[in-house]
Amino acid sequence: MSFYDDNADLRWYVERGIDWARLLPHVELGGLGPAQAEAGGYQSVEDAVQTWTEVLHMAGAFAADEIAPRAALLDRAHARVEDGELVSPPEHDQLFDAIAAMGLHGLCVPREFGGMNAPLVIYMLVAEVFSRADVSVMTHHSFHGGIAMALLMYSALEGSTTFDPDSRQILSTRWSKAIEEIAAGEAWGCMDITEPDAGSDMAALRTKAEQDADGNWLLSGQKIFITSGHGKYHFVIARTEDAKDPDDPFAGLGGLSLFLVKAWEDGPDGRRIRNITLERIEEKLGHHGSATCTLSFDRCPAELVGQRGEGFKLMLLLMNNARIGVGFEAIGLCEAALRMARSYAAGRRSMGRSLDRHELIADWLDEMQTDVCGLRALAVHAAFQEELTQRKRLELRYLVAPGSAEAAALEAEVKALTWASRSATPLLKMLAAEKAVEMARRCLQIHGGAGYTTEYGAERLLRDSLVLPIYEGTTQIQALMATKDALLGLLRDPKAFVRQSARASLDSRTHRDPLYRRVAGLRLAALQAQRHLIQRIAGPRVLSLPQTPLARWRDRLVDDWDPRTDFGPALLHAERLAGLLADAAIAEVLWAQLAKDEGRRPILEGWVERAEPRARDNLGRIKHSGERLLARLAQAPAAEAAK
Ligand SMILES: Cc1cc2nc3c(=O)[nH]c(=O)nc-3n(C[C@H](O)[C@H](O)[C@H](O)COP(=O)(O)OP(=O)(O)OC[C@H]3O[C@@H](n4cnc5c(N)ncnc54)[C@H](O)[C@@H]3O)c2cc1C
């Protein structure tokens, strides 16, 4: 059995959905053909896709035959700390030895470093099939290849990578050895951001990095909840400067820098000399195959990544990828919940019929199926856009002449791709994580009393799902990001907004395809919500224009916004607006698929049928609720200041 082969919707993307011919030239920079095939590359697009299909088949079989049967055991057999080192259950180590032996840690890593050079999107699909077996195994797996690719990306962006434009091969990077170790399955890394008093609020981070007299960076502080924090390579975000006042560019997020810290050095006698102290691992509700660590740093040697003050920006680049990864992780769990629920409902009889013939349960199962397909459409779209963004950003730096027309065109393309990826990612992370919880809960409920026992594993799915809306930025933070981007976009280019609204309105009434009219209707609802919120927020500013000098009007209307204080109604309704945006985005991605395959129409029909009442509800609430609460909160700042 393979969790890839038995999933027709997933296979559709590899076989028809993904535009490999567009992506491949940016993955295989040396081109395609007999010479390239001889050197480990591919003869043709079909040749490449066949290889990746085999990889997916293998990963799917491993997930079905090796990971899934051990999921209950991994849930019970917890890791522990002994003599300052983490000891995993042997079953966990065996799985990861097998993943290393299959070469999957180096799946996306370029061949120059011992990897397979597969597209990132293939890595994401592997993440989904692994997650269907056990989300926590997928999580730990992702801190291998994901960190290797981050090392490569950061080195390339800061300019410490050397590239041969003739052979189109990477000659070296600042962290070649680390990347090779990870690709070989000998090491992994992690992302150390959260601190005891700073989670969502990264501006409150206090871990500090200072330079000694020789300019070496030394890092001190504590990080908590670090997934796979027993790894060797740590990306750590730390404060490099105390702000002098709130206007200092180093205040808040601007004072953060990114560092690479090695958790230990290998001593001459083969023993580890630890730089980072592994204090403890958390006792958690679920997700037990993934260790969550508390770490302390006491003047640890650290390498600055990029420039001082770039930490937040660089971390966001890594997080965009990671959030798409969580999207696929959530979809894997949704798929597991759907299949478990469906199989139980088909076998269990109640009141003369199997459960799946009862309308109410059939409705749940139908909605779960529709949601999985819709989420996967958004996830593959986001991954594709993100991959093209990253690859073309590097081509801009290394492959085209600066200042040339080609560079200008590529720059414009990178900008558009960045925007497409950036707008899809928080919607995916938010919706997929929330749906995973909803589906795991429904799966448990469909199992009745048996779901509440450990017999079927439905309760494990629910426990595992609950972390998805928390890590890599909570659901609320994703909703706030999506809302902020949408509204600032409107303020920056109101004409484009008016054009989009007119188009959506026209299409919703007159498009030749009735189904597209409904897709446009969803987009129109999202635009109407944005217009309502902006009118609500900007109204007082417009009224203040007569007292503002004409030369300052633009600043007043476009630039002088503080999203923390000025956006009250938008912050209040952020999850509803993000819900509208996600429903519309998924409908549009599914609509675009019809150009390739009319057979996808029923999926879009199902999505639209489910999304329309949600959109009406969200829009209605945005327009007609919240004033009372906002008025109460407006009186609260004095009380807050007095705390
Ligand atoms: C299993 C697990 C693994 C993790 N792995 C990592 C890791 O590898 N690396 C790492 O650095 N961190 C990791 N984390 C930490 C995780 O990223 C944080 O828990 C998360 O960012 C939330 O931060 P917090 O826990 O401090 O909650 P808070 O930030 O205190 O938030 C509490 C609640 O308030 C909401 N909230 C906060 N601010 C706002 C706002 N402005 N508007 C509306 N709502 C708001 C949040 O959505 C949340 O619901 C992990 C956490 C867990 C549980």
Side-chain angles (χ1 to χ4, degrees):
M1 188 183 179
S2 164
F3 282 176
Y4 172 69
D5 296 53
D6 73 352
N7 190 331
D9 188 60
L10 180 55
R11 285 201 324 272
W12 183 83
Y13 287 95
V14 179
E15 290 161 10
R16 297 188 68 175
I18 296 172
D19 188 348
W20 295 120
R22 182 172 173 211
L23 183 61
L24 204 56
H26 307 286
V27 178
E28 291 294 331
L29 291 176
L32 304 168
Q36 287 83 351
E38 190 72 19
Y42 302 107
Q43 181 88 27
S44 61
V45 173
E46 294 71 31
D47 181 22
V49 175
Q50 192 188 331
T51 303
W52 302 327
T53 304
E54 283 161 17
V55 168
L56 282 162
H57 166 76
M58 176 183 73
F62 183 75
D65 299 338
E66 304 296 334
I67 306 177
R70 288 179 175 80
L73 197 145
L74 291 177
D75 185 43
R76 289 192 302 272
H78 298 195
R80 61 186 195 281
V81 177
E82 244 175 49
D83 297 331
E85 297 293 341
L86 188 135
V87 182
S88 306
E91 298 79 7
H92 189 271
D93 291 343
Q94 284 154 14
L95 277 182
F96 277 87
D97 287 348
I99 295 172
M102 288 186 288
L104 288 179
H105 291 317
L107 185 60
C108 292
V109 173
R111 290 185 198 93
E112 294 89 311
F113 302 101
M116 291 191 215
N117 201 47
L120 215 65
V121 98
I122 292 291
Y123 171 85
M124 295 292 178
L125 299 182
V126 169
E128 187 197 314
V129 295
F130 273 20
S131 294
R132 186 176 139 195
D134 185 301
V135 272
S136 62
V137 168
M138 178 266 156
T139 303
H140 184 50
H141 169 64
S142 72
F143 281 91
H144 292 72
I147 295 293
M149 291 309 284
L151 287 161
L152 189 57
M153 176 182 72
Y154 286 141
S155 166
L157 287 177
E158 68 173 16
S160 61
T161 292
T162 52
F163 189 81
D164 176 9
D166 297 326
S167 68
R168 300 201 150 207
Q169 291 218 328
I170 300 168
L171 298 175
S172 70
T173 84
R174 188 173 164 193
W175 296 295
S176 301
K177 187 171 167 289
I179 298 170
E180 282 162 7
E181 269 179 59
I182 294 175
E186 291 158 8
W188 64 89
C190 51
M191 199 159 86
D192 306 3
I193 307 170
T194 308
E195 296 176 13
D197 293 316
S200 307
D201 184 7
M202 283 178 62
L205 292 174
R206 286 289 162 265
T207 291
K208 199 161 178 168
E210 295 168 311
Q211 279 177 295
D212 67 12
D214 299 324
N216 302 310
W217 286 100
L218 298 167
L219 198 143
S220 302
Q222 191 191 43
K223 296 284 179 182
I224 60 169
F225 302 158
I226 305 306
T227 303
S228 307
H230 53 313
K232 186 168 180 184
Y233 296 103
H234 292 237
F235 281 116
V236 187
I237 195 140
R239 192 159 292 286
T240 41
E241 201 89 359
D242 282 329
K244 293 167 196 68
D245 58 63
D247 295 329
D248 185 327
F250 281 117
L253 297 172
L256 299 174
S257 301
L258 184 65
F259 292 89
L260 184 72
V261 181
K262 259 166 82 176
W264 63 82
E265 308 293 339
D266 295 317
D269 55 355
R271 288 207 336 204
R272 285 180 181 179
I273 305 167
R274 269 206 165 267
N275 295 318
I276 299 176
T277 305
L278 172 57
E279 284 188 15
R280 64 163 200 274
I281 49 175
E282 299 298 336
E283 292 288 328
K284 310 190 297 265
L285 188 62
H287 216 249
H288 288 136
S290 155
T292 308
C293 306
T294 295
L295 308 168
S296 64
F297 302 78
D298 183 11
R299 294 180 68 74
C300 287
E303 292 177 71
L304 179 67
V305 180
Q307 302 291 316
R308 228 175 68 188
E310 276 190 337
F312 182 64
K313 190 180 95 184
L314 293 175
M315 196 48 95
L316 280 187
L317 288 178
L318 179 57
M319 281 179 109
N320 217 44
N321 237 337
R323 284 173 180 162
I324 294 173
V326 176
F328 279 94
E329 185 178 2
I331 293 168
L333 194 142
C334 289
E335 187 75 49
L338 168 63
R339 285 171 188 257
M340 195 189 285
R342 203 193 268 148
S343 147
Y344 187 82
R348 172 82 174 170
R349 292 184 73 78
S350 171
M351 301 176 200
R353 285 186 273 170
S354 60
L355 283 178
D356 61 358
R357 305 296 303 162
H358 286 277
E359 290 75 2
L360 198 156
I361 303 292
D363 183 45
W364 272 9
L365 292 170
D366 177 75
E367 187 172 39
M368 287 161 81
Q369 174 72 66
T370 303
D371 285 345
V372 170
C373 292
L375 289 169
R376 190 175 287 120
L378 183 62
V380 174
H381 167 79
F384 188 84
Q385 302 295 326
E386 175 65 16
E387 171 147 31
L388 271 183
T389 309
Q390 287 182 19
R391 294 194 185 270
K392 290 195 176 216
R393 197 182 280 139
L394 295 181
E395 286 169 23
L396 184 60
R397 178 164 191 128
Y398 288 94
L399 289 182
V400 296
S404 63
E406 197 189 351
L410 191 52
E411 202 168 343
E413 205 186 341
V414 168
K415 209 169 156 192
L417 283 165
T418 305
W419 180 249
S421 162
R422 185 183 161 129
S423 40
T425 303
L427 303 179
L428 169 67
K429 162 70 176 72
M430 176 194 81
L431 193 64
E434 291 297 329
K435 283 288 173 188
V437 176
E438 182 187 289
M439 287 195 213
R441 159 93 174 76
R442 283 185 178 182
C443 171
L444 188 150
Q445 188 70 13
I446 286 172
H447 283 73
Y452 197 66
T453 71
T454 55
E455 187 180 352
Y456 289 88
E459 49 74 49
R460 178 173 53 76
L461 280 189
L462 182 57
R463 285 187 285 109
D464 281 353
S465 72
L466 287 167
V467 75
L468 297 167
I470 294 175
Y471 62 20
E472 292 302 346
T474 65
T475 287
Q476 291 66 42
I477 297 302
Q478 304 308 307
L480 292 174
M481 282 172 60
T483 296
K484 188 180 133 205
D485 274 358
L487 296 186
L488 287 178
L490 189 168
L491 286 168
R492 283 200 191 103
D493 195 351
K495 275 193 204 152
F497 181 83
V498 171
R499 274 198 305 274
Q500 277 176 37
S501 301
R503 180 84 252 166
S505 171
L506 190 68
D507 283 344
S508 71
R509 286 176 285 116
T510 63
H511 196 276
R512 62 183 161 69
D513 190 324
L515 185 55
Y516 189 73
R517 282 182 224 149
R518 298 170 72 188
V519 172
L522 289 172
R523 173 56 61 199
L524 187 61
L527 291 164
Q528 284 169 340
Q530 290 169 62
R531 194 181 60 195
H532 171 83
L533 288 171
I534 225 66
Q535 281 170 342
R536 174 76 184 70
I537 294 163
R541 282 179 180 247
V542 174
L543 292 178
S544 77
L545 288 182
Q547 292 90 49
T548 309
L550 195 59
R552 288 260 307 128
W553 277 27
R554 192 180 185 285
D555 295 345
R556 185 90 187 105
L557 285 176
V558 179
D559 294 332
D560 282 354
W561 291 93
D562 181 348
R564 282 167 307 181
T565 53
D566 295 341
F567 278 20
L571 302 182
L572 174 72
H573 291 298
E575 282 191 60
R576 293 180 189 114
L577 178 60
L580 279 161
L581 292 167
D583 276 337
I586 289 175
E588 278 161 1
V589 172
L590 288 171
W591 167 257
Q593 292 178 359
L594 300 194
K596 280 189 184 143
D597 184 356
E598 260 295 318
R600 304 285 289 172
R601 188 171 278 265
I603 298 178
L604 175 59
E605 283 166 349
W607 182 262
V608 168
E609 182 194 320
R610 298 282 175 183
E612 280 173 338
R614 265 197 309 261
R616 278 194 292 276
D617 181 55
N618 276 329
L619 183 58
R621 284 170 193 250
I622 288 173
K623 281 186 169 172
H624 305 299
S625 74
E627 291 306 316
R628 193 176 48 83
L629 178 65
L630 285 171
R632 201 172 80 212
L633 288 173
Q635 291 163 3
E640 178 77 9
K643 269 190 200 168

